[in-house]
Amino acid sequence: MGPHPAVAAIRLAVRRVLHDILAEHAPARATGRTPARAPGRVPAPGGGRPSVGGAGYPPAPARESAHAFAPGSAATARGEGRAAVPAAAPERSPLEPPGRSGQPVPPAPVVLVACSGGADSMALASALAFEAPKLGIRAGGITVDHGLQDGSGPRADEVVERLRELGLDPVESVAVAVGREGGPEAAARDARYAALDAALERHSATAVLLGHTRDDQAETVLLGLARGSGIRSLSGMAAVSGAGGRYRRPFLHLDRQTARKACMVQSLPVWDDPHNADPAYTRSRLRHEGLPALEKALGKGVVEALARTAQLSRDDADALDAWAGQAEASVRDAAGLLECAKLRTLPPAVRRRILRRAAIDAGAPAGSLFARHIEEVDRLITGWRGQGAINLPGRVVARRQGGRLVIRQG
């Protein structure tokens, strides 16, 4: 008799992602070279080069908890005993025996799971522990203590023990200092992803699996819609994001109940973060009040429809980003300045993507650059009446001079 349908579903989702990772890792192993991690910023949303399109621009990645998994910059590792994370070179596994060419073959990839102890991430951890050994992948886990609740330290230690019981190795807990910039949820997220990046380097890992579900995706789309964001924000979270595709989200097509059911039938203990039910947090209100109200008014299927909208929006946003990238060279003069007359001939969605990219390249922080900023810059092209310069975040200034748009730090 096979596993419970919920267990089978989560394992299949993880198996597919691991196969993708192996396929990407295989060429380097065949040549005896350690795979290079792609350079560059994290693709939006949730990573890489910020999107140059839409209006609210990349949304904050949804998460299983406002304060779930992840380590951070000024982090402390707590594997066995809470020792500080050394700033030394990353741990590296010894090379496997020589291949047919006589050259050492790089070790099998290391894949980590970011686990808060909640149902989504515990289900993900169990599926990774089951599937990875069959594919020759070393599986480990990371949990994070944000220090925002009483007893968070011992709770993080419990999660570490649960991950070890599943057979994951390496496993560690990392304590982070959460700042205040952008609000508590954004600050916790920033610390989380900074810590995950550090853990990837520390363990020479290929990827980190995140437990975001279809429900998280639906919430992200609604939050973007409420902010009046553009199509990139409405595209939600990507299945693959981060520099070099380091973040993978296997559960985006699975609902939250499937993950919880998988934990229940496997007798996996889970922890429900009280912040997930705290009405002080926007995502919590949306989860417990907003989405149920929408389903009551519109009928079942709202979550599935919103997740489908995210994928359709992502496809459109990717196409528009590609168009803007190709068109940018054609609207610059020999000195590299943007020509207003040529910009005006482009569709607004393409033109504003070019303007956003130019502002970011000039030093404007992507997370602080909103639709209203780009709209004001756009008026220098479409509604020119001799107006003055536009001040943008990061002390960047945009002004029109002699038919050219000049965007630089002023």
Side-chain angles (χ1 to χ4, degrees):
M1 183 176 179
H4 186 279
V7 176
I10 64 169
R11 288 178 179 176
L12 176 60
V14 169
R15 190 183 317 141
R16 286 172 172 165
V17 168
L18 294 182
H19 275 296
D20 290 343
I21 292 171
L22 280 176
E24 296 163 11
H25 193 84
R29 285 176 57 80
T31 59
R33 290 195 298 268
T34 301
R37 191 166 281 133
R41 288 176 271 178
V42 179
R49 174 172 188 137
S51 163
V52 294
Y57 312 93
R63 49 220 168 261
E64 176 182 343
S65 157
H67 308 291
F69 59 61
S73 42
T76 306
R78 264 211 227 68
E80 307 241 2
R82 312 200 175 192
V85 175
E91 300 174 4
R92 297 196 179 275
S93 303
L95 292 177
E96 294 177 356
R100 294 180 181 176
S101 65
Q103 296 297 321
V105 177
V110 177
V111 175
L112 306 176
V113 58
C115 184
S116 68
D120 300 347
S121 59
M122 281 302 299
L124 182 58
S126 71
L128 177 63
F130 182 83
E131 295 292 340
K134 298 191 295 183
L135 298 173
I137 291 174
R138 186 180 174 195
I142 302 292
T143 190
V144 180
D145 172 18
H146 293 77
L148 298 176
Q149 300 173 16
D150 292 338
S152 62
R155 188 176 302 112
D157 293 338
E158 289 176 12
V159 174
V160 165
E161 289 307 311
R162 291 175 189 171
L163 295 178
R164 288 202 179 106
E165 289 169 3
L166 289 172
L168 299 180
D169 179 47
V171 172
E172 68 174 336
S173 169
V174 181
V176 298
V178 176
R180 297 183 178 182
E181 187 175 352
E185 291 174 280
R189 182 186 67 250
D190 290 344
R192 190 157 53 244
Y193 279 92
L196 287 179
D197 284 341
L200 274 158
E201 299 301 329
R202 192 160 56 249
H203 297 291
S204 300
T206 301
V208 172
L209 305 189
L210 306 177
H212 301 125
T213 65
R214 184 169 63 192
D215 300 80
D216 295 308
Q217 186 76 297
E219 292 162 8
T220 302
V221 173
L222 282 178
L223 287 170
L225 185 63
R227 288 192 296 262
S229 301
I231 193 172
R232 177 56 74 184
S233 182
L234 298 183
S235 66
M237 297 171 288
V240 179
S241 66
R246 58 178 54 186
Y247 294 119
R248 311 286 174 124
R249 298 177 174 87
F251 289 175
L252 285 183
H253 66 288
L254 298 177
D255 61 31
R256 193 173 286 137
Q257 284 305 113
T258 297
R260 186 168 289 276
K261 185 69 173 178
C263 289
M264 186 180 73
V265 299
Q266 295 178 98
S267 299
L268 293 174
V270 300
W271 173 67
D272 290 315
D273 187 345
H275 281 139
N276 284 336
D278 187 345
Y281 296 99
T282 304
R283 185 174 291 274
S284 175
R285 295 195 301 273
L286 179 60
R287 180 175 300 178
H288 297 287
E289 301 172 23
L291 271 172
L294 281 175
E295 291 200 330
K296 182 177 180 181
L298 303 175
K300 295 293 183 181
V302 169
V303 168
E304 292 87 341
L306 288 169
R308 188 164 58 250
T309 296
Q311 184 56 57
L312 294 171
S313 297
R314 178 169 299 280
D315 292 343
D316 291 349
D318 288 346
L320 287 168
D321 284 350
W323 185 355
Q326 295 168 1
E328 184 171 358
S330 68
V331 297
R332 290 188 181 273
D333 63 15
L337 297 177
L338 293 167
E339 297 187 66
C340 296
K342 292 181 178 178
L343 280 168
R344 185 161 186 165
T345 65
L346 293 174
V350 177
R351 181 174 62 244
R352 289 174 182 172
R353 279 167 163 75
I354 294 174
L355 298 179
R356 176 174 169 80
R357 176 176 294 171
I360 292 171
D361 288 345
S368 303
L369 195 60
F370 301 129
R372 65 178 184 273
H373 297 127
I374 303 304
E375 288 168 0
E376 287 299 317
V377 176
D378 196 38
R379 288 193 185 96
L380 295 177
I381 299 165
T382 61
W384 175 244
R385 300 182 307 278
Q387 59 263 46
I390 306 297
N391 293 315
L392 301 174
R395 297 187 298 109
V396 172
V397 176
R399 59 169 52 87
R400 180 165 172 156
Q401 294 179 342
R404 303 295 190 270
L405 189 66
V406 180
I407 303 177
R408 60 167 63 104
Q409 282 190 321

